[in-house]
Amino acid sequence: VFQTHEEDDRKVRRREKNRVAAQRSRKKQTQKADKLHEEYESLEQENTSLKREIGKLTDEMKHLSQVLKDHEKICPLLHCTMNFVTVPRPDALASCLPR
């Protein structure tokens, strides 16, 4: 089967066009993978930062819970026999406030 010069040219142009399209497709895939990798790195950093913040907040909550627990032992408002009164005495309240 003999091909004409015109058919050969068409085949060459089609191969070239296909090669360029394949290059473009590979480049696009690479860019997409790079973008996903950058997003992954960013999310990993954010996750690490949030875990650190959770740790700090947990420590603060434990500390404040202990402070409250210690305060409850000495708070006159909690030991008052009339703690059903809705209006606290100003002198008793003042002794509970931090100085």
Side-chain angles (χ1 to χ4, degrees):
V1 177
F2 292 101
Q3 292 181 350
T4 65
H5 183 63
E6 195 176 289
E7 288 173 330
D8 287 342
D9 281 351
R10 220 179 300 136
K11 199 181 256 186
V12 168
R13 281 194 306 272
R14 191 172 64 239
R15 282 185 183 156
E16 178 64 19
K17 193 175 176 182
N18 186 273
R19 185 183 65 76
V20 170
Q23 275 181 328
R24 220 177 338 184
S25 176
R26 284 190 293 272
K27 185 177 179 181
K28 205 172 175 182
Q29 284 178 326
T30 302
Q31 289 172 337
K32 187 176 180 181
D34 289 346
K35 186 178 177 184
L36 283 172
H37 184 71
E38 285 175 20
E39 188 178 345
Y40 166 81
E41 291 290 331
S42 175
L43 290 170
E44 280 291 324
Q45 287 177 355
E46 185 181 359
N47 192 28
T48 299
S49 176
L50 289 170
K51 284 180 180 179
R52 210 175 298 125
E53 187 177 352
I54 287 170
K56 287 178 184 177
L57 291 171
T58 300
D59 290 345
E60 184 180 2
M61 182 183 73
K62 287 177 186 174
H63 170 72
L64 292 173
S65 292
Q66 187 59 49
V67 168
L68 178 62
K69 193 173 176 183
D70 293 344
H71 177 76
E72 286 173 342
K73 294 174 188 173
I74 61 166
C75 182
L77 292 177
L78 294 175
H79 298 293
C80 178
T81 56
M82 297 182 63
N83 58 1
F84 60 87
V85 177
T86 57
V87 180
R89 299 184 330 261
D91 58 324
L93 186 58
S95 67
C96 287
L97 297 175
R99 293 176 182 104

